[in-house]
Amino acid sequence: MKRIIICMPNFIGDSINTIPAIELVRQVFPQARITLLGPSFLKELFEYDPRISYIIVSNKRKKNYFRNIFVILRNRYDLGILFTNTFMTALLLRLALVKRLVGYENEGRGFLLNFKRPLNRNVHYINRYAMLVNEWLGNKFTCLPTLKLYYKQECNFHFANNNPVIGLYLGGTNKRFRRYPEEQAIVLLRMLRNYNLVFIGDSNDAVVQSSYVRQAMIDNVLDLSGKTSVGELVTSIANMDILITIDSAAMHIAAAVKTAFIALLGLSTSPTSTILPRSQTGVFLKIENNLINEADYIKNITPEIIYRNVELLMNRKKDRNDTQQGRSF
């Protein structure tokens, strides 16, 4: 297998969950050139990943679909792995004469695949992708490889003091029931006033989060929401001491760059058992109690509970640093 093309998911968090599966491919075929096919954010998300040789950006416009066929055809791929679940992606690689295709047999596309397995939506996304690859390889592996996202090694924000940096992604109005409530967000910001705070998110989040800062009347705040590319977002999260975030791509990025995080879990877009990062650096807060309406879950995560977990993670980090310094002597 000298040339391998992988069809990637449409979302950042899902794409991060494919990393252990990609590592399995790399371990078996260390000399192969691996190409990723998918959304434009892949170019920045995997820009510094030594496992990836090339990225083909695709979208749903018909003319680009046919252009992609010719681009893929020109590279003469030996293997195609489909982490996507649609009929059209399987047809795309088949029309581009990829020699062997591995993927899920849903949407009636099984006849297009050389190796197929049923899609179990109850399995964690990381396991789902890794199991597809591992079963094709004859169950060669037992354990998941480490989740590691490569990024640009620099600090893209600076404060006038050396206080720890807390990142915040509390969600805009488009996040609906995943969004952290405004009144509680303002209280939380006031409790964190002794830290350096960095807001992240998109332009929708920027409108809401800038309002929080004005109402909380706090200093030492850097609002990057709506101002960073995907690559800059990854670098920003990597330089934080802790990230406080709703269920989002930022949560998965933090897990992949080994930044401690506190996940505020309300009503999720998927069963939480299938999406929560496999991470030792995270704290997951979900308090259901006896509430009938799932949309109210996130209101149970009070600012006091979040702040206690911030202090807990800070103390853990201090203890680790002290231990490492002791070993250096």
Side-chain angles (χ1 to χ4, degrees), residues 27-47:
Q27 289 183 25
V28 176
F29 304 107
Q31 303 303 319
R33 291 176 58 83
I34 297 178
T35 295
L36 302 184
L37 172 67
S40 58
F41 65 74
L42 294 172
K43 282 200 165 186
E44 292 193 57
L45 193 64
F46 290 95
E47 180 180 1

Side-chain angles (χ1 to χ4, degrees), residues 199-248:
F199 279 98
I200 58 173
D202 58 27
S203 55
N204 184 280
D205 304 310
V207 175
V208 173
Q209 295 180 152
S210 61
S211 171
Y212 295 167
V213 173
R214 290 194 302 271
Q215 294 181 67
M217 295 183 293
I218 53 176
D219 298 319
N220 296 328
V221 177
L222 176 61
D223 189 356
L224 296 180
S225 49
K227 301 174 184 176
T228 58
S229 64
V230 172
E232 291 167 340
L233 175 64
V234 174
T235 298
S236 298
I237 293 174
N239 282 286
M240 296 171 181
D241 291 285
I242 296 175
L243 172 67
I244 301 172
T245 176
I246 60 172
D247 172 16
S248 64

Side-chain angles (χ1 to χ4, degrees), residues 31-247:
Q31 303 303 319
R33 291 176 58 83
I34 297 178
T35 295
L36 302 184
L37 172 67
S40 58
F41 65 74
L42 294 172
K43 282 200 165 186
E44 292 193 57
L45 193 64
F46 290 95
E47 180 180 1
Y48 297 96
D49 196 319
R51 296 166 290 201
I52 308 305
S53 300
Y54 186 51
I55 294 173
I56 301 174
V57 174
S58 65
N59 61 43
K60 296 180 180 179
R61 295 176 62 182
K62 187 177 295 186
K63 66 177 183 180
N64 284 316
Y65 185 87
F66 290 103
R67 179 186 65 82
N68 288 337
I69 291 176
F70 291 109
V71 171
I72 298 168
L73 181 63
R74 189 164 56 241
N75 285 280
R76 300 180 180 179
Y77 288 100
D78 302 299
L79 173 68
I81 300 174
L82 294 94
F83 291 140
T84 52
N85 307 317
T86 65
F87 180 88
M88 295 303 291
T89 52
L91 180 62
L92 172 70
L93 296 194
R94 185 54 71 195
L95 292 175
L97 303 183
V98 178
K99 294 178 182 178
R100 294 184 62 81
L101 297 185
V102 174
Y104 305 107
E105 61 180 352
N106 59 314
E107 288 209 6
R109 65 181 191 168
F111 72 98
L112 296 170
L113 306 175
N114 299 98
F115 178 88
K116 57 193 175 185
R117 71 180 306 273
L119 174 63
N120 185 349
R121 298 186 184 277
N122 296 318
V123 172
H124 194 287
Y125 278 55
I126 284 182
N127 297 82
R128 180 188 302 179
Y129 301 131
M131 287 166 61
L132 175 63
V133 171
N134 197 36
E135 289 190 21
W136 172 67
L137 294 171
N139 292 312
K140 182 182 182 69
F141 298 94
T142 302
C143 298
L144 286 167
T146 300
L147 177 65
K148 182 177 182 180
L149 184 62
Y150 293 84
Y151 56 92
K152 190 174 184 179
Q153 300 286 327
E154 67 173 12
C155 185
N156 55 351
F157 49 78
H158 303 277
F159 289 93
N161 59 65
N162 294 320
N163 294 340
V165 176
I166 306 291
L168 293 139
Y169 180 45
L170 304 179
T173 54
N174 61 331
K175 300 303 185 293
R176 302 186 67 201
F177 302 128
R178 286 188 290 159
R179 174 188 173 194
Y180 194 61
E182 178 177 352
E183 299 81 7
Q184 291 169 266
I186 294 169
V187 173
L188 175 63
L189 293 183
R190 289 170 178 162
M191 296 178 73
L192 296 172
R193 64 172 62 251
N194 291 327
Y195 293 99
N196 293 319
L197 305 180
V198 178
F199 279 98
I200 58 173
D202 58 27
S203 55
N204 184 280
D205 304 310
V207 175
V208 173
Q209 295 180 152
S210 61
S211 171
Y212 295 167
V213 173
R214 290 194 302 271
Q215 294 181 67
M217 295 183 293
I218 53 176
D219 298 319
N220 296 328
V221 177
L222 176 61
D223 189 356
L224 296 180
S225 49
K227 301 174 184 176
T228 58
S229 64
V230 172
E232 291 167 340
L233 175 64
V234 174
T235 298
S236 298
I237 293 174
N239 282 286
M240 296 171 181
D241 291 285
I242 296 175
L243 172 67
I244 301 172
T245 176
I246 60 172
D247 172 16

